[in-house]
Amino acid sequence: MATGASRHDLARFGAEVFRFSPRQCDLMIVAGRVVMKMLPVLQRIWQQMHEPKWCISMGACASTGGIFDTYCVVQGIDRFMPVDMYVPGCPPRPEQLIQAIIDLQEKIQHEGTIAGSEFSLSSRQQPKRALVELPILGQAPRFDSSVRVDVHSTEREGV
Amino acid sequence: MAVSSVASAIQAKIPVASSDEFRGQLRVVVPAESLESALRMVKDELGFDLLVDITCVDYLHYRGARDRFGLVYLLANTSNNQRVTLRVMLNEPNLTVPTAVPLWEGANWLEREVWDMFGIQFEGHPDLRRILLPDEFDSHPLRKDYPLQGQGERHNFPVLTREEA
């Protein structure tokens, strides 16, 4: 909710409109625990979405079940559904969700057709772009930028 | 009416297994065969007109416990703000008690929840189905001998993949 509201404002990153019908969506964000009884409902929502479609598993509970390792909580929705992006955190900060959406946009730019067959090609398996540390005025950067290992963020140097 | 007079009023009509008072509230254990008459008498004659909750305790592995289940009725008197706890001890082959739906309509869902979680049968209940868990679930997970991570009920859903959905 905070991600879409004015303080963090997801619209700055090209993802504005929230639709509450799966038939008008191309991205599903699963936020929170999925109970065993609701999993068929979740799968049905996913099946109602039009191609192309993506899924973000947001938070520790949706990704792994979190602390709820019990009989009724699904231990990670990726056991039963395709997931494109995982957001850690309990709960995740709005910045993390925005970063996940930016990363998903980048993933869509590089790859991503309906079947996703090129996911299996080794040439497409590129290392994930490390988070670019934003400069804070008056503070030295916490991480040494010379040891950065990724390949995509080079054009973003000097931001 | 004081707590002790409520206790003696119940004991005068119903064979009570045990009864004690804790911080001004009365706890009564009645045998299973006199449960229905005890509930009816407490409601009609002593004015405990509100059924607050029906719940259950599994005393498996509980220190000093002799009975397996304790079925708990929490009742309140809305005119003088008194409360009483009625408890019935149940053991494994005979997990059937008469329903309280004729006395309190609200007992319907409460008894369905106790049936769902503990497997206590309520005889005469109009609609004894599972209320929280899915219908195809076949065990009662709040029993202490049910493993916390389940018996694989959560693993038998179809797996959706990118190619098919």
Side-chain angles (χ1 to χ4, degrees):
Chain A
M1 289 297 114
T3 309
S6 56
R7 185 178 180 92
H8 296 280
D9 197 10
L10 189 59
R12 296 179 294 159
F13 304 99
E16 165 80 68
V17 188
F18 285 94
R19 298 282 189 200
F20 291 91
S21 163
R23 303 182 186 210
Q24 301 170 351
C25 293
D26 52 12
L27 169 64
M28 177 169 74
I29 301 176
V30 181
R33 283 165 297 168
V34 177
V35 180
M36 188 189 69
K37 196 175 177 180
M38 285 301 283
L39 186 71
V41 182
L42 183 68
Q43 288 183 331
R44 191 164 174 173
I45 289 172
W46 174 254
Q47 284 175 326
Q48 284 183 355
M49 287 169 63
H50 288 297
E51 296 283 358
K53 58 190 176 184
W54 294 275
C55 176
I56 288 181
S57 172
M58 171 184 161
C61 286
S63 305
T64 66
I67 61 170
F68 303 101
D69 190 9
T70 63
Y71 63 96
C72 56
V73 178
V74 176
Q75 301 295 299
I77 59 166
D78 57 348
R79 295 189 177 205
F80 302 107
M81 297 184 52
V83 173
D84 292 288
M85 205 55 81
Y86 300 88
V87 187
C90 183
R93 289 285 308 164
E95 295 89 334
Q96 289 175 271
L97 183 58
I98 291 172
Q99 184 68 51
I101 289 174
I102 293 171
D103 286 348
L104 185 61
Q105 288 167 346
E106 187 167 341
K107 179 177 177 178
I108 294 165
Q109 289 292 326
H110 283 106
E111 45 198 29
T113 54
I114 290 175
S117 56
E118 66 279 351
F119 279 78
S120 53
L121 287 178
S122 59
S123 62
R124 288 291 194 177
Q125 298 287 326
Q126 290 159 333
K128 183 178 178 300
R129 180 173 61 84
L131 301 183
V132 180
E133 188 179 10
L134 296 176
I136 301 175
L137 193 66
Q139 279 190 20
R142 182 173 301 188
F143 303 106
D144 187 4
S145 60
S146 63
V147 297
R148 197 172 288 152
V149 292
D150 55 42
V151 290
H152 300 303
S153 65
T154 49
E155 68 269 16
R156 289 172 181 260
E157 295 289 341
V159 172
Chain B
M1 192 156 53
V3 171
S4 56
S5 59
V6 174
S8 53
I10 295 175
Q11 273 166 346
K13 290 276 182 68
I14 307 294
V16 168
S18 75
S19 127
D20 65 334
E21 186 187 331
F22 180 74
R23 295 193 176 171
Q25 292 195 3
L26 181 64
R27 304 189 294 195
V28 180
V29 180
V30 297
E33 55 271 16
S34 60
L35 170 68
E36 191 175 18
S37 56
L39 288 173
R40 189 177 298 279
M41 176 257 176
V42 164
K43 184 194 179 196
D44 294 340
E45 299 178 24
L46 300 180
F48 287 92
D49 50 351
L50 176 66
L51 177 66
V52 179
D53 200 2
I54 302 174
T55 183
C56 190
V57 184
D58 188 352
Y59 287 108
L60 187 71
H61 311 311
Y62 191 86
R63 204 182 339 153
R66 280 166 297 156
D67 300 295
R68 175 75 194 272
F69 293 103
L71 181 65
V72 184
Y73 291 79
L74 303 176
L75 305 171
N77 186 334
T78 52
S79 57
N80 62 6
N81 201 19
Q82 270 186 337
R83 282 169 191 263
V84 68
T85 302
L86 245 72
R87 193 176 295 247
V88 185
M89 293 312 202
L90 299 170
N91 282 299
E92 191 69 87
N94 306 314
L95 294 182
T96 304
V97 293
T99 179
V101 175
L103 295 170
W104 294 278
E105 277 293 318
N108 191 323
W109 283 16
L110 299 173
E111 288 179 352
R112 280 177 64 187
E113 187 182 350
V114 173
W115 155 247
D116 197 357
M117 291 298 173
F118 291 93
I120 308 273
Q121 295 262 7
F122 290 91
E123 201 169 19
H125 190 283
D127 184 24
L128 196 62
R129 286 179 293 131
R130 290 186 176 274
I131 188 169
L132 294 172
L133 293 166
D135 291 334
E136 64 271 16
F137 210 86
D138 56 359
S139 46
H140 302 287
L142 280 192
R143 291 187 177 187
K144 291 294 181 193
D145 53 358
Y146 185 82
L148 176 63
Q149 298 182 345
Q151 294 166 337
E153 290 93 345
R154 60 186 177 182
H155 298 303
N156 46 19
F157 292 108
V159 179
L160 295 183
T161 60
R162 276 261 172 220
E163 284 73 23
E164 71 191 25

